[in-house]
Amino acid sequence: MTTDVTDRTQRVDAQRNRAAIIDAALACLSANPRASMAEIARAAGVGRVTLYGHFSSRRELVEAASVQAIGRAEVQLAPLDLDGDPREALRLLVTTSWRLVDDFQGLIGAAEQELGADRVREHHDETMLRVRRLMERGQASGQFRSDQSADWLTACFFAILHGAATEIRLGRLGEDEADRLLPDTIQALVSVPA
Amino acid sequence: MTTDVTDRTQRVDAQRNRAAIIDAALACLSANPRASMAEIARAAGVGRVTLYGHFSSRRELVEAASVQAIGRAEVQLAPLDLDGDPREALRLLVTTSWRLVDDFQGLIGAAEQELGADRVREHHDETMLRVRRLMERGQASGQFRSDQSADWLTACFFAILHGAATEIRLGRLGEDEADRLLPDTIQALVSVPA
DNA sequence: CATAACCCAAACATGGTTGTTTGAGATAAG
DNA sequence: CTTATCTCAAACAACCATGTTTGGGTTATG
């Protein structure tokens, strides 16, 4: 789904503004899912009319910001080598993922509000699939518990990350602590019970 | 305007309406955290003006609904005997709690939006304390892991329940499955790692 | 039954958000 | 230099939510 970056009749300043708006939307909506279009425009250093020139509705902007967020996440996640020992791979995935969840939690809220939870899942799909595949592989190799479905383990994975991000946001948990706790907690989640 | 708390001259129909409004608020806000005052009034079978006669602001109503919700939760939770084997007690707590989280998830969202996360935690405090005390007891008896703080284990407890409620709401998880999976998952969370 | 308490619909004020229009001015690109 | 593209502020329209006021009707209660 590569968009035509070089639209023949689009000026570079327009492209730059468009990018600035998406970035601003990402930042604003992450901080506050209910940020208004005016706020986002101001944060982008652009007039409100200009914003509507690029995105004809709030929904469209949220959509674009979501795509951007997923893109950034993929940049971090794609290069990870998850083919080794499933336990090690999972720890690696956790330590990389939780910051992303922390960063984009607000945006996800805005997107759920604006696009519906289904559409969000659709975007989130590839990211979630990566986790689920790892869960399945760990189950197949007998290192992860198989008495619970990979779907459920995946849901728990995100639930814990989401919870940690919330705790951090409330100032009840430090980032360093999260870094230390999360891998062990997730490990416990998937381990074969005694 | 007049904030006569102990209005001994309050008519019974007024009391009944007040109760109906709180119930309606509980139901509406649980289903949709952004339900309007008009919606809630309609659901309560009452005029909008009457609603404002009882609660002078949305904030006040959400506050009252929160108190009501906590009350209902306590009715379910208080009689539980959590003094036996911590593992058994935790399973009992899980099977009773997850439905409550499922029921009130929306309301909690509305309350966080309206009263701020801190105030919600304040309400939620007793409920959370019950979990934390159990975690501490399990740690003290050596049956729960002690390499992670009781606070963290408590946060994870709610994160998992919250996640399960979300999965249910999205139709990706059945209530019966949740009943089967959750106790084992929480068990794994608190167990001493191998 | 008398009356204070209560309910309610309609209307109003206020403020915020989304989205659009206009018209004049700036600027990138050929 | 010329032009199509782009920006922008101001104003406008439409909508929705929160609260308030009014004035007439209903009902509990003593």
Side-chain angles (χ1 to χ4, degrees):
Chain A
M1 59 193 273
T2 40
T3 319
D4 221 5
V5 180
T6 52
D7 212 357
R8 184 178 306 277
T9 62
Q10 189 167 51
R11 265 163 49 171
V12 292
D13 56 344
Q15 288 175 18
R16 197 177 40 222
N17 277 336
R18 189 175 212 279
I21 290 168
I22 293 180
D23 282 349
L26 201 50
C28 290
L29 295 174
S30 293
N32 168 25
R34 313 187 61 176
S36 71
M37 298 293 264
E39 259 175 275
I40 295 170
R42 203 179 326 127
V46 129
R48 213 162 58 87
V49 179
T50 302
L51 192 162
Y52 276 104
H54 287 285
F55 304 93
S56 61
S57 74
R58 178 183 179 84
R59 186 195 160 88
E60 212 172 279
L61 176 58
V62 172
E63 181 89 24
S66 296
V67 171
Q68 175 89 336
I70 296 293
R72 286 201 194 167
E74 284 298 315
V75 166
Q76 305 258 348
L77 295 173
L80 297 183
D81 175 20
L82 302 176
D83 293 333
D85 175 48
R87 272 178 270 195
E88 278 310 312
L90 188 58
R91 296 184 83 87
L92 182 61
L93 196 52
V94 170
T95 54
T96 310
S97 293
W98 78 260
R99 282 172 200 281
L100 295 170
V101 173
D102 190 25
D103 283 348
F104 296 144
Q105 195 173 16
L107 176 65
I108 291 172
E112 260 168 15
Q113 178 66 44
E114 213 71 35
L115 314 174
D118 311 343
R119 186 86 188 86
V120 173
R121 291 271 159 170
E122 218 168 300
H123 275 149
H124 210 241
D125 204 41
E126 196 161 351
T127 308
M128 205 152 54
L129 203 67
R130 194 193 325 268
V131 178
R132 218 193 58 197
R133 270 196 304 257
L134 181 52
M135 293 297 181
E136 283 166 355
R137 199 163 65 79
Q139 287 178 326
S141 74
Q143 302 186 61
F144 294 175
R145 67 190 304 173
S146 292
D147 60 329
Q148 299 189 338
S149 70
D151 276 341
W152 171 246
L153 294 181
T154 303
C156 288
F157 176 94
F158 283 105
I160 293 286
L161 261 55
H162 192 279
T166 301
E167 290 293 299
I168 289 173
R169 189 147 304 194
L170 292 178
R172 297 163 48 93
L173 185 70
E175 303 209 347
D176 46 342
E177 289 174 288
D179 234 349
R180 183 174 56 83
L181 291 166
L182 278 171
D184 287 344
T185 293
I186 299 292
Q187 171 89 287
L189 258 177
V190 304
S191 292
V192 179
Chain B
M1 204 79 85
T2 53
T3 49
D4 259 346
V5 181
T6 52
D7 229 346
R8 52 195 206 82
T9 63
Q10 188 169 52
R11 265 162 49 173
V12 294
D13 56 345
Q15 288 174 15
R16 197 176 41 222
N17 276 335
R18 189 175 212 279
I21 291 168
I22 293 181
D23 282 349
L26 201 50
C28 290
L29 294 174
S30 292
N32 168 24
R34 311 187 62 175
S36 71
M37 297 293 263
E39 259 176 276
I40 295 170
R42 203 180 323 125
V46 129
R48 212 162 57 86
V49 179
T50 301
L51 193 161
Y52 276 104
H54 287 285
F55 304 94
S56 61
S57 75
R58 178 183 178 84
R59 185 194 160 88
E60 212 172 278
L61 176 58
V62 172
E63 181 88 24
S66 296
V67 170
Q68 175 89 336
I70 296 293
R72 286 201 193 166
E74 284 298 315
V75 166
Q76 305 257 349
L77 296 173
L80 297 183
D81 175 20
L82 303 176
D83 292 335
D85 175 49
R87 271 179 270 196
E88 278 310 311
L90 188 58
R91 295 183 85 87
L92 182 62
L93 195 53
V94 169
T95 55
T96 310
S97 294
W98 78 257
R99 283 173 201 281
L100 294 171
V101 173
D102 191 25
D103 284 348
F104 297 143
Q105 195 173 14
L107 177 64
I108 291 172
E112 260 167 16
Q113 178 65 46
E114 213 72 35
L115 314 175
D118 311 342
R119 186 86 188 86
V120 173
R121 290 272 158 168
E122 218 168 299
H123 275 149
H124 210 243
D125 205 40
E126 196 161 351
T127 308
M128 203 151 56
L129 203 67
R130 195 192 325 269
V131 178
R132 218 193 59 197
R133 270 196 304 257
L134 181 53
M135 293 297 182
E136 283 165 355
R137 200 163 66 80
Q139 287 178 326
S141 73
Q143 301 186 61
F144 294 175
R145 67 189 305 173
S146 293
D147 61 329
Q148 298 189 340
S149 70
D151 276 340
W152 172 245
L153 294 181
T154 304
C156 289
F157 176 93
F158 284 106
I160 294 285
L161 260 54
H162 192 280
T166 301
E167 290 293 298
I168 289 173
R169 189 148 303 194
L170 292 178
R172 298 163 48 93
L173 185 70
E175 303 209 349
D176 46 342
E177 288 174 289
D179 235 348
R180 183 174 57 81
L181 291 166
L182 279 171
D184 287 345
T185 292
I186 297 292
Q187 171 89 285
L189 207 71
V190 303
S191 293
V192 179

